[in-house]
Amino acid sequence: MRILVTGGAGYIGAHTCVVLAERGHDVVIADNFSNSSPAVLPRLEALTGRPVVLARIDLRDAKAMSALFAAHAFDAVIHFAALKAVGESCEKPLAYFDNNISGSLVLLQAMKDAGVGKLVFSSSATVYGAPDAVPVGEDSPLRVTNPYGRTKLVVEQLLEDVCRSDPGLHVANLRYFNPVGAHPSGMIGEDPSDIPNNLMPYVCQVAAGRRERLHVFGGDYPTVDGSGVRDYIHVVDLARAHADAIDFLQREHRGLTVNLGTGRGVSVIELVRAFERASGRRVPFEIVARRAGDVAEVYADPTRAHRLLGWRAQLDVDAMCRDAWRWQSLNPMGYAEREAA
Ligand code: NAD
Ligand code: WQD
């Protein structure tokens, strides 16, 4: 199939492009590089052995999007392109609504005009807010706790309305838990442009000596060791699920909403210890106050993804840490390293 991957130069998008190419799909990336680097493209070419077709465009540019759909006969779209920093979304909600919601609307119009009826959407476990119970199933109540989360919930809801109006459109909503790790080659990985907001990239930078110590946000949660518990999922497992979702849409002619997680909760301190084992480095940490908006424990019930997609996470926390560390040690400054060289 010929697949448009919006945000395909980003962290999860790039890993998904590799899996799609491995499965014989032709990929076109649309990205404005607002949170990624063109330096990923030659690496994707090296990994896949194929040229990367890139459209450097902003999704909100309706003219450019319609030209893109006119230039390629897409069979399906995987829609990663979005801004994703929770804290920033609280400071700039309008920028998040514009980028994530308006971008999705322009994409949907272009798909409708071109008659493209298969869409995989990057949603997030953030749509569950603070869940009432764990593991979290897809039918758990949906709540929003920040503007970023609102963009994910709103796009899910507007997709539902659009699907109801258009029997030719089928959408796979994939609700990711906590994606971490990197491609085992060490050639692509997560490259935060600023101080990392998320745990794993911060741990990587502490182990590499770029930061002095990790601040563990909260040591008094009612969890195994008092630190927060999450469902970390290897980005390569996550990438595989996108190819499986494309197969589902092709095969079943209907949509779905599934959680993508391992089903296993891991505490911050457990992750730090696993990282120390995988890297052979020490990760000094200090327990500090809870981070506003955090919850004690979130992990997925991933059984629906297995039932509908035949997908199950295969890589454990040790593999996540090992691959994150390989990426970090081979690329201490991320993609900038290669660009500067
Ligand atoms: P990322 O920032 O690495 O990738 C997003 C890509 O989209 C970037 O390359 C960026 O330049 C591009 N982009 C953003 N706005 C655009 C626009 N208007 N036009 C064109 N390109 C644009 O993020 P990621 O971690 O790969 O996340 C991918 C998707 O998964 C996002 O939708 C994110 O909300 C969702 N998600 C991520 C996580 C996570 O923890 N990483 C968890 C749940 C859901
Ligand atoms: C994980 C755990 C922190 C950093 C976020 C978004 C969510 C989704 C995934 C996009 C928590 C603790 C963290 C640090 C720490 N993104 N922590 N010190 O908050 O579960 O989810 O990313 O959709 O929407 O909210 O992930 O990696 O920030 O935190 O102790 O320096 O690590 O308190 O327990 P989170 P995270």
Side-chain angles (χ1 to χ4, degrees):
M1 289 168 75
R2 173 153 285 233
I3 301 173
L4 172 63
V5 182
T6 79
Y11 171 46
I12 305 168
H15 288 83
T16 302
C17 288
V18 173
V19 173
L20 293 172
E22 283 167 359
R23 298 225 193 150
H25 296 296
D26 289 325
V27 168
V28 176
I29 293 176
D31 207 299
N32 65 359
F33 298 111
S34 57
N35 195 39
S36 52
S37 160
V40 73
L41 304 173
R43 297 182 179 209
L44 282 178
E45 292 186 335
L47 278 172
T48 61
R50 302 182 185 201
V52 167
V53 185
L54 168 77
R56 185 175 194 141
I57 54 177
D58 191 302
L59 246 61
R60 293 162 294 179
D61 182 342
K63 250 181 148 170
M65 287 294 279
S66 119
L68 178 67
F69 276 80
H72 302 273
F74 293 122
D75 299 297
V77 177
I78 306 182
H79 178 32
F80 292 103
L83 300 174
K84 63 165 182 178
V86 171
E88 185 186 55
S89 81
C90 298
E91 286 155 27
K92 303 179 188 167
L94 291 174
Y96 272 67
F97 298 152
D98 181 36
N99 196 77
N100 295 4
I101 301 176
S102 307
S104 300
L105 291 176
V106 171
L107 172 67
L108 279 170
Q109 186 65 52
M111 287 179 65
K112 187 173 174 57
D113 294 346
V116 179
K118 297 182 192 71
L119 175 66
V120 178
F121 173 58
S122 290
S123 189
S124 167
T126 192
V127 298
Y128 300 117
D132 298 330
V134 285
V136 187
E138 289 83 354
D139 297 327
S140 303
L142 302 180
R143 352 184 135 99
V144 160
T145 51
N146 56 68
Y148 164 71
R150 188 176 302 282
T151 68
K152 291 293 163 190
L153 188 54
V154 165
V155 172
E156 276 201 17
Q157 290 168 335
L158 63 87
L159 286 171
E160 201 179 324
D161 286 345
V162 178
C163 284
R164 216 173 279 131
S165 77
D166 178 357
L169 177 65
H170 301 294
V171 175
N173 284 306
L174 306 184
R175 294 178 179 158
Y176 317 153
F177 279 66
N178 289 61
V180 296
H183 193 270
S185 64
M187 286 177 68
I188 55 173
E190 188 168 13
D191 184 17
S193 54
D194 211 338
I195 300 172
N197 297 305
N198 295 115
L199 178 63
M200 183 66 102
Y202 204 102
V203 167
C204 283
Q205 294 190 4
V206 173
R210 268 178 82 180
R211 305 197 184 276
E212 200 183 331
R213 63 168 58 90
L214 172 73
H215 293 127
V216 174
F217 299 140
D220 57 353
Y221 285 110
T223 60
V224 58
D225 54 24
S227 65
V229 166
R230 296 291 182 276
D231 188 338
Y232 298 96
I233 171 161
H234 197 298
V235 67
V236 172
D237 273 334
L238 194 61
R240 248 187 335 104
H242 292 75
D244 294 340
I246 291 283
D247 291 347
F248 177 92
L249 294 174
Q250 173 80 347
R251 182 177 72 233
E252 304 260 344
H253 308 289
R254 64 184 169 116
L256 86 171
T257 295
V258 292
N259 287 338
L260 295 177
T262 63
R264 184 168 169 248
V266 172
S267 78
V268 174
I269 292 170
E270 285 172 338
L271 187 126
V272 166
R273 296 298 179 217
F275 197 93
E276 289 184 326
R277 281 196 304 276
S279 65
R281 296 285 183 106
R282 278 200 60 235
V283 178
F285 68 84
E286 178 187 350
I287 295 174
V288 299
R290 294 179 179 189
R291 182 172 66 179
D294 270 357
V295 294
E297 193 166 34
V298 185
Y299 55 92
D301 174 351
T303 49
R304 192 192 282 181
H306 186 244
R307 184 162 44 82
L308 295 178
L309 300 179
W311 174 91
R312 186 177 267 155
Q314 294 171 350
L315 298 163
D316 63 10
V317 177
D318 293 341
M320 300 176 207
C321 293
R322 185 191 64 220
D323 293 335
W325 177 242
R326 186 181 296 110
W327 157 252
Q328 173 67 44
S329 23
L330 291 175
N331 309 271
M333 304 304 287
Y335 293 111
E337 193 81 350
R338 161 78 58 105
E339 282 177 328

